[in-house]
Amino acid sequence: MEYAGFWRRFAAFGVDATMLGTFQTIATIAMVAMIPVAEVSEEATVGYAIVFNLMIFIAMWLYFALMESSSIQATVGKMLIGIVVSDMAGNRISFKRASGRYFAKIPSWILLGIGFYMACFTERKQALHDIMTNCLVIRKPKTT
């Protein structure tokens, strides 16, 4: 197995973030267009914002967990870069493990990204969320 280094992973995340950011922008514009602003109280606006952000969070979780646990084993960004998410033996991970991997990224964000930078220094190029969930990000095996 050839482990995917930090910069490959970073590039894949950049593709995914751009794609998801575009989706979020379109969804935000659509939501704002559907709400009659003059008729909505400030409390209702806060409620809409909370529900909308929760929906975006759930959509992002499902995007990463479903894609990485699928037979493709990769998000769109990872596919374009040629890397996949696997267990320690190179096998496909379950939806449960992919979900755990997604939520295990939260400490890395809280720690100002330090958990992500661990992929530069660990033997198997694992970030904190990979170590916590016993996962690897590897170059996609060549099929013959």
Side-chain angles (χ1 to χ4, degrees), residues 58-110:
I58 290 169
M60 289 178 59
W61 158 55
L62 289 174
Y63 168 75
F64 282 97
L66 288 170
M67 294 290 289
E68 291 174 353
S69 65
S70 73
S71 59
I72 299 167
Q73 294 179 258
T75 61
V76 172
K78 288 179 180 74
M79 282 190 282
L80 290 173
I81 303 299
I83 58 179
V84 296
V85 177
S86 73
D87 66 9
M88 300 303 281
N91 301 312
R92 179 175 152 185
I93 62 173
S94 67
F95 177 76
K96 182 179 177 181
R97 184 178 289 190
S99 294
R101 186 174 181 274
Y102 178 78
F103 291 110
K105 293 176 184 177
I106 293 171
S108 292
W109 287 115
I110 291 171

Side-chain angles (χ1 to χ4, degrees), residues 16-75:
D16 289 327
T18 300
M19 187 180 76
L20 292 169
T22 301
F23 166 76
Q24 185 175 359
T25 300
I26 292 168
T28 301
I29 292 168
M31 185 191 85
V32 169
M34 291 188 307
I35 299 172
V37 178
E39 301 171 19
V40 177
S41 68
E42 186 174 332
E43 292 83 17
T45 302
V46 170
Y48 284 129
I50 290 169
V51 169
F52 180 74
N53 284 317
L54 182 60
M55 288 172 49
I56 291 295
F57 181 78
I58 290 169
M60 289 178 59
W61 158 55
L62 289 174
Y63 168 75
F64 282 97
L66 288 170
M67 294 290 289
E68 291 174 353
S69 65
S70 73
S71 59
I72 299 167
Q73 294 179 258
T75 61

